Amino acid sequence: MKNQTNQWWKESVVYQIYPRSFYDSNKDGIGDIKGIISKLDYLSELGVDVVWLSPVYESPNDDNGYDISHYERIMDDFGTMDDWDQLLNDMHERGMKLVMDLVVNHTSDEHAWFAEARKSKDNPYRDYYIWRPGEEGSKPTDWEASFGGSAWDYDEKTEEYYLHMFSKKQPDLNWENPEMRSSIYDMMKFWLDKGIDGFRMDVINMISKKEFLSSYQDYHNGSIEKKNYEFNGARVHDFLQEMNQEVLSHYDVMTVGECPRVSPDLARLYTDEARNELNMVFQFEHMGLDKIKGKSKWDLKPLRLLDLKQNLTKWQKELEQIGWNSLYWNNHDQPRAVSRFGDDTTYRRESAKMLATVLHMMKGTPYIYQGEEIGMTNVHFDSIDSYKDIETLNMYKERILGQDEKDVMHAIHVKSRDNARTPMQWDATHNAGFTEGTPWIEVNPNFTDINVEQALLDQDSIFHYYKKLIELRKQHEIIVHGKYDLILEDHPAIFAYTRTLGNEMLLVVNNFYSDNVPFILPDTIHVDNYELMISNYEVPCGEQIKEFNLRSYESRVYKLTI
Ligand code: NOJ
């Protein structure tokens, strides 16, 4: 059995900032770096240790900054490199760390490398990207891009197609090319030498495409089924180990790799400390439990708590000794947690706190997405014209041809990435205090009730509950390192588990629904002493622990001596 080591990133709570929607300091309707600087005291008050900043690099914004045209420049919309230097400095002064987004599966088609590459077939940068001739006048393969349409786009000048797994303005880089890799490593060093504390790596398990590309012939003539070859290609581990050796091992930083379609077996390979690849991955299995299997994220089905428990428990157990979990309910690509997994009307406060408890008491590094800490909700814009996200708009265009608009809009209300991208709700004034200009995307009209100012004033707010959860992590080693075990496995409404370290145990009990439900402690747990650590309701003094009634979305965490 291997021992997981103590590392600062295991003890940390990470807060994700989506800069475009965080805070606008210059009235242009777009959040910016100076805006973030002015809110650092707020983040200190919350107590988070690390900020992950979604891309702030130069970009034509086809995919809101995930299409980078210059890796070492700051986007004008967000400010200047001086602003960024100030941000890093001010964060470090407050004891906070900064993790930058690393988007190296693709660049923007406006990146200088791509501009060169498309000039001629013998251009030195040609091979930085993936080019193929057409098959008898048609596209090289029938692969589809993530945002809809073909994954190939024709370049008239050189009469070949280039691969783009996302929008056509996001050509995929060719990781087989050592010079390309070395350019990426230089860029990473540029930021690390400036003093950053790590990288969140965008779709990093898509960078190895050799078999994906060569599999086409077999797939085409029917000898193999289409598999997800674009994920977890054979060379990805070599590339990550090389990146580690060349770059990361020289710095004390954290890495989290975004890895769609990753199983626990693979996640162990990526995060095994002995293999020197990544510290943790973002896996997506729990994000897929409310869609119809084999269909797209827009094909909705209700979530069953039993599936969620089973899935999260699988990840807890499988990464128990090797690897490390990242814990998240939402991010800039996902709907708002309280709307998706809780109740965003009657029990918004209770259910947001319950979800926070479930997540923060598990083993792994918790991530908070901006606004989650005040219980921000999904938005229901009436018209498609209010939406900005490329994925949402492309899906609307495709589906509206064959489906009822009401159904299409319903799926958008439930799943659009713009649910997470409406401006941060700072106060009850015009535009939620986000901007004095016209916001790039409309604010959620519920900002008059749900906002930071109000949350800070109310000691019983979701914000103060998150703050307490973060404090508890600092005080109790068991929250970081305790062994996880699910209890009441088949209970359809209660999500309960224990964490054990030495003779201490945490008992974490959550009612996932609004109906009251009795909790009965399993006989297998023998308790000497117990005390309540945190709960989202008043718990009557002296209430015994063997059996109690859980109210709507009630959460309790007890610390036991066993
Ligand atoms: C994952 C990012 O989180 C998402 O926002 C982006 O659109 C794609 N990768 C492409 O970079």
Side-chain angles (χ1 to χ4, degrees):
M1 168 172 142
K2 297 196 184 181
N3 274 329
Q4 288 167 326
T5 56
N6 290 356
Q7 307 271 8
W8 59 263
W9 41 265
K10 293 183 180 168
E11 288 153 27
S12 299
V13 175
V14 184
Y15 187 92
Q16 183 192 352
I17 292 185
Y18 194 68
R20 184 159 289 268
S21 303
F22 194 61
Y23 184 65
D24 173 23
S25 74
N26 66 351
K27 309 184 188 177
D28 64 358
I30 298 173
D32 47 47
I33 294 175
K34 282 207 169 100
I36 300 173
I37 295 173
S38 71
K39 297 295 184 186
L40 288 179
D41 285 341
Y42 168 70
L43 298 180
S44 288
E45 167 78 17
L46 179 59
V48 292
D49 310 276
V50 179
V51 167
W52 149 29
L53 190 58
S54 276
V56 289
Y57 315 101
E58 189 182 275
S59 162
N61 279 314
D62 192 48
D63 185 19
N64 279 4
Y66 282 90
D67 48 320
I68 297 170
S69 53
H70 200 304
Y71 284 114
E72 292 164 20
R73 286 192 196 144
I74 299 293
M75 191 192 300
D76 288 342
D77 284 348
F78 293 154
T80 63
M81 191 60 92
D82 284 347
D83 296 341
W84 184 90
D85 288 336
Q86 173 97 47
L87 172 68
L88 181 68
N89 176 68
D90 290 9
M91 285 184 59
H92 282 172
E93 260 179 24
R94 288 170 173 79
M96 260 184 260
K97 296 187 188 309
L98 178 59
V99 164
M100 295 290 278
D101 222 304
L102 183 76
V103 187
V104 292
N105 174 68
H106 45 267
T107 66
S108 161
D109 65 338
E110 296 184 33
H111 193 290
W113 297 340
F114 193 72
E116 283 298 313
R118 72 194 323 178
K119 279 186 183 158
S120 70
K121 284 186 187 160
D122 54 10
N123 187 284
Y125 288 95
R126 182 75 172 178
D127 191 45
Y128 269 43
Y129 295 88
I130 298 167
W131 299 90
R132 290 289 181 276
E135 288 266 311
E136 288 157 18
S138 62
K139 301 187 193 277
T141 72
D142 60 359
W143 295 333
E144 283 173 14
S146 258
F147 300 150
S150 169
W152 296 102
D153 211 57
Y154 190 60
D155 181 66
E156 298 213 334
K157 176 127 196 274
T158 54
E159 299 180 327
E160 279 190 335
Y161 291 84
Y162 64 89
L163 181 74
H164 60 88
M165 298 310 295
F166 293 90
S167 96
K168 67 176 183 202
K169 286 186 65 62
Q170 292 167 297
D172 281 48
L173 285 165
N174 175 19
W175 274 75
E176 295 298 328
N177 179 337
E179 278 150 35
M180 192 295 292
R181 299 206 298 276
S182 147
S183 304
I184 295 292
Y185 302 154
D186 287 348
M187 172 273 280
M188 291 171 73
K189 287 182 209 150
F190 169 86
W191 289 102
L192 289 162
D193 290 338
K194 277 178 159 291
I196 66 164
D197 304 287
F199 288 112
R200 173 269 185 187
M201 302 187 185
D202 193 64
V203 288
I204 199 67
N205 65 335
M206 291 177 75
I207 59 178
S208 164
K209 299 199 178 70
K210 206 169 173 180
E211 359 33 338
F212 174 54
L213 291 163
S214 59
S215 73
Y216 177 68
Q217 231 27 61
D218 299 336
Y219 159 61
H220 198 59
N221 63 32
S223 61
I224 57 163
E225 300 217 338
K226 177 160 171 21
K227 297 213 182 85
N228 296 311
Y229 280 116
E230 64 267 50
F231 302 97
N232 311 304
R235 299 252 291 149
V236 65
H237 301 288
D238 296 345
F239 296 150
L240 288 174
Q241 284 171 18
E242 181 187 79
M243 179 193 278
N244 197 283
Q245 198 181 347
E246 298 287 318
V247 186
L248 298 167
S249 60
H250 304 286
Y251 305 85
D252 175 22
V253 291
M254 67 167 260
T255 55
V256 50
E258 188 201 26
C259 293
R261 317 252 176 147
V262 83
S263 62
D265 284 347
L266 278 166
R268 269 205 302 273
L269 291 181
Y270 287 124
T271 64
D272 180 349
E273 292 178 17
R275 290 172 56 90
N276 295 319
E277 296 186 17
L278 298 167
N279 297 142
M280 54 193 137
V281 299
F282 288 129
Q283 61 86 14
F284 285 85
E285 286 188 350
H286 64 304
M287 294 286 115
L289 299 175
D290 56 359
K291 75 174 186 74
I292 299 171
K293 211 170 172 200
K295 295 245 186 160
S296 89
K297 73 177 215 182
W298 307 104
D299 299 299
L300 314 173
K301 85 159 205 227
L303 175 81
R304 287 174 65 229
L305 177 63
L306 289 180
D307 293 343
L308 183 69
K309 291 201 291 189
Q310 189 267 336
N311 185 267
L312 292 177
T313 301
K314 176 179 82 179
W315 280 89
Q316 288 286 302
K317 295 314 273 182
E318 301 245 355
L319 270 60
E320 188 163 72
Q321 281 158 23
I322 298 175
W324 190 252
N325 270 300
S326 58
L327 309 169
Y328 73 98
W329 284 131
N330 50 191
N331 59 38
H332 64 293
D333 293 330
Q334 301 293 336
R336 290 281 176 184
V338 69
S339 302
R340 186 178 194 177
F341 302 109
D343 171 351
D344 64 6
T345 54
T346 320
Y347 295 106
R348 188 182 64 86
R349 183 187 294 240
E350 291 78 4
S351 65
K353 291 179 183 176
M354 180 278 289
L355 290 168
T357 314
V358 171
L359 195 94
H360 283 245
M361 289 293 154
M362 282 196 194
K363 188 170 173 188
T365 301
Y367 288 73
I368 301 171
Y369 178 67
Q370 68 184 40
E372 176 189 331
E373 77 283 12
I374 55 165
M376 278 178 62
T377 68
N378 281 353
V379 72
H380 293 186
F381 293 135
D382 292 334
S383 158
I384 189 65
D385 300 334
S386 301
Y387 286 87
K388 307 287 176 204
D389 168 36
I390 181 171
E391 184 194 45
T392 307
L393 298 175
N394 286 355
M395 167 297 216
Y396 180 88
K397 269 187 238 141
E398 266 177 29
R399 295 210 168 185
I400 204 66
L401 301 173
Q403 270 185 33
D404 197 14
E405 176 163 37
K406 238 177 68 216
D407 297 337
V408 180
M409 287 309 288
H410 175 65
I412 289 176
H413 291 161
V414 176
K415 282 286 181 71
S416 170
R417 305 198 295 184
D418 280 341
N419 283 310
R421 299 177 182 186
T422 59
M424 182 74 182
Q425 293 165 202
W426 292 104
D427 58 38
T429 64
H430 190 53
N431 290 327
F434 161 71
T435 180
E436 287 175 38
T438 307
W440 71 275
I441 185 170
E442 288 161 50
V443 296
N444 190 322
N446 64 17
F447 71 88
T448 46
D449 296 327
I450 304 172
N451 61 64
V452 168
E453 188 178 57
Q454 175 274 358
L456 288 172
L457 288 172
D458 174 3
Q459 284 306 313
D460 190 35
S461 67
I462 300 166
F463 175 90
H464 285 289
Y465 194 86
Y466 268 85
K467 186 175 163 173
K468 176 138 192 229
L469 284 171
I470 297 168
E471 273 165 19
L472 288 171
R473 172 170 293 266
K474 311 282 168 244
Q475 294 154 4
H476 301 274
E477 199 195 346
I478 190 170
I479 299 179
V480 180
H481 293 291
K483 181 164 88 64
Y484 169 99
D485 287 291
L486 184 68
I487 58 171
L488 307 183
E489 194 178 326
D490 299 320
H491 199 295
I494 296 179
F495 194 161
Y497 58 85
T498 57
R499 303 284 308 279
T500 316
L501 192 69
N503 69 342
E504 272 182 9
M505 182 182 267
L506 294 183
L507 173 67
V508 185
V509 181
N510 305 281
N511 179 4
F512 228 78
Y513 299 101
S514 59
D515 287 344
N516 288 7
V517 57
F519 169 79
I520 301 170
L521 188 71
D523 295 342
T524 44
I525 300 177
H526 303 285
V527 184
D528 270 355
N529 272 309
Y530 62 90
E531 74 185 91
L532 187 68
M533 194 182 242
I534 187 167
S535 67
N536 60 351
Y537 279 82
E538 285 285 321
V539 173
C541 201
E543 192 179 66
Q544 52 101 20
I545 189 182
K546 291 245 178 262
E547 198 173 330
F548 53 85
N549 185 43
L550 282 169
R551 290 154 280 188
S552 307
Y553 298 96
E554 180 163 356
S555 276
R556 296 187 192 186
V557 181
Y558 286 100
K559 188 168 179 188
L560 322 176
T561 320
I562 49 171

